[in-house]
């Protein structure tokens, strides 16, 4: 240990005079630890600094609004972070499926039929449309209430091809702005093509039962382990937190707990305003 320390000191004097002050003042091990933590925190600044796990359902108009607000928050965050001198900050988004009403007919249901059965009518949509107009959500053509299993499977397929975000937005657009049927395989295949995915591969995937078990398992995990009772639900984490390097976002879902959130994890329930999301990004980034 003594010889190793002396060698290290010599090397330091040769190359990095400043850091050697620490070596002389502190025991070798402590200094090494300090060096390592300094290196770790500086690399965090250049990496994706915020991760958002979006737990949501396509058969959920508020989730569509929530996605639009998330987009606005990410844009504002990335814009402001390029001018704050701390380096580029990015937001990495992952999607976790949630099925509010798995008993919806497998092919989905007509808009008014579903609304009448669930709520006696669609009067409740007036305030939804009023408050989301400014977010760019018009609900211009909304004709079906989908069973969302097939669309969640398409999301899994798109995630694995790096097109998760595009496909997520397109599915919402299809249901709420284009009068599309998101329980229909052909509709979803053309939407996959629109996102730049191979329509043949998307069709083969959706025609099989691939991804179905994953969707059902994630839905179950969200409702039990994560304790999510309403969607959208945004779980915001820094990259330097305890989940750092723990694998895919899906692993983090399985192991995490919304209730026992650590310091670098913020859970936001509902289609919260962009500025609230923005504040959450900034605060986990500071902790990062
Ligand atoms: C949606 O598409 C499915 C599959 O093609 C079909 O069975 C169902 O009737 C359609 N739903 C509506 C509400 O049109």
């Amino acid at each position: 240990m003594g010889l190793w320390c002396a060698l290290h000191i010599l090397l330091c004097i040769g190359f990095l005079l400043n850091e050697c002050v620490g070596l002389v003042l502190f025991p070798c091990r402590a200094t090494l630890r300090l060096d390592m933590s300094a290196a770790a925190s500086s690399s965090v600044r250049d990496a994706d600094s915020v991760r958002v796990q979006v737990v949501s359902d396509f058969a959920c108009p508020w989730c569509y609004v929530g996605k639009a607000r998330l987009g606005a928050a990410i844009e504002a965050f990335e814009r402001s972070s390029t001018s704050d001198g701390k380096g580029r900050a990015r937001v990495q988004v992952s999607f976790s499926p949630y099925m509010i009403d798995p008993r919806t007919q497998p092919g989905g249901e007509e808009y008014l039929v579903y609304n009448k059965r669930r709520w006696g009518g669609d009067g409740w949509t007036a305030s939804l449309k009023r408050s989301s107009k400014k977010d760019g959500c018009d609900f211009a053509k909304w004709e079906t209430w989908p069973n969302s299993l097939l669309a969640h499977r398409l999301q899994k397929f798109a995630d694995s091809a790096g097109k998760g975000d595009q496909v997520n937005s397109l599915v919402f657009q299809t249901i709420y702005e284009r009068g599309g049927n998101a329980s229909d395989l052909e509709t979803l295949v053309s939407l996959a093509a629109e996102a730049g995915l191979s329509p043949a591969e998307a069709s083969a995937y959706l025609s099989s039962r691939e991804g179905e078990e994953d969707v059902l398992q994630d839905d179950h995990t969200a409702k039990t382990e994560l304790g999510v009772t309403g969607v959208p639900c945004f779980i915001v984490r820094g990259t330097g937190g305890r989940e750092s390097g723990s694998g895919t976002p899906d692993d983090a879902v399985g192991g995490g707990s919304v209730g026992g959130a650590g310091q670098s994890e913020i859970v936001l329930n509902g289609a919260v305003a962009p500025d609230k999301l923005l504040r959450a990004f900034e605060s986990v980034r500071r902790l990062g």
Side-chain angles (χ1 to χ4, degrees):
M1 177 59 79
L3 178 64
W4 195 89
C5 232
L7 269 172
H8 195 172
I9 289 170
L10 281 172
L11 278 171
C12 273
I13 291 168
F15 299 107
L16 289 161
L17 223 77
N18 288 343
E19 284 189 17
C20 273
V21 175
L23 248 179
V24 173
L25 295 178
F26 298 104
C28 257
R29 271 192 212 178
T31 311
L32 282 174
R33 220 169 20 237
L34 284 173
D35 286 347
M36 275 158 59
S37 65
S41 70
S42 68
S43 69
V44 160
R45 275 185 213 123
D46 304 323
D48 288 329
S49 34
V50 174
R51 290 183 296 155
V52 185
Q53 181 188 345
V54 184
V55 185
S56 72
D57 192 3
F58 293 113
C60 165
W62 279 113
C63 295
Y64 166 44
V65 176
K67 177 65 173 31
R69 291 177 179 171
L70 174 66
I74 290 173
E75 213 182 291
F77 179 66
E78 294 186 343
R79 201 175 337 110
S80 72
S81 73
T82 53
S83 56
D84 69 1
K86 280 188 267 174
R88 186 180 63 112
R90 288 214 305 129
V91 181
Q92 188 186 310
V93 180
S94 66
F95 301 97
S96 295
Y98 192 96
M99 287 189 284
I100 297 174
D101 182 7
R103 273 170 299 202
T104 308
Q105 296 296 315
E109 299 176 37
E110 275 171 25
Y111 167 85
L112 205 54
V113 171
Y114 187 87
N115 273 280
K116 279 191 174 147
R117 180 159 65 73
R118 283 291 300 270
W119 301 287
D122 70 342
W124 65 276
T125 63
S127 72
L128 162 79
K129 291 174 184 172
R130 210 168 30 244
S131 66
S132 63
K133 196 114 198 132
K134 63 180 180 309
D135 303 296
C137 302
D138 293 327
F139 293 93
K141 201 162 181 245
W142 177 11
E143 297 179 348
T144 62
W145 196 281
N147 178 307
S148 52
L149 178 58
L150 200 64
H152 282 306
R153 288 180 51 223
L154 178 69
Q155 179 75 58
K156 292 268 179 217
F157 175 74
D159 288 345
S160 65
K163 296 280 186 185
D165 194 66
Q166 293 93 319
V167 164
N168 190 268
S169 293
L170 278 171
V171 174
F172 281 126
Q173 285 285 321
T174 298
I175 301 165
Y176 302 106
E177 306 290 355
R178 302 180 188 170
N181 177 353
S183 306
D184 178 55
L185 192 139
E186 291 311 315
T187 302
L188 293 181
V189 168
S190 66
L191 187 156
E194 195 178 336
L197 294 164
S198 151
E201 281 175 26
S203 180
Y205 183 95
L206 294 177
S207 302
S208 72
R209 303 194 69 169
E210 236 181 304
E212 184 173 315
E213 231 5 85
D214 293 339
V215 169
L216 297 176
Q217 184 57 52
D218 287 355
D219 175 63
H220 179 73
T221 300
K223 288 168 181 169
T224 54
E225 277 170 59
L226 292 182
V228 175
T229 55
V231 285
C233 173
F234 301 96
I235 305 170
V236 183
R237 299 184 180 107
T239 47
R242 69 197 150 86
E243 276 94 9
S244 180
S246 72
T248 66
D250 281 345
D251 289 336
V253 182
S257 155
V258 175
Q263 268 196 314
S264 60
E265 180 176 292
I266 296 173
V267 179
L268 299 169
N269 287 299
V272 292
D275 67 310
K276 205 164 172 183
L277 285 158
L278 188 57
R279 278 199 301 277
F281 297 165
E282 280 161 357
S283 111
V284 300
R285 188 189 184 207
R286 266 196 303 278
L287 290 166

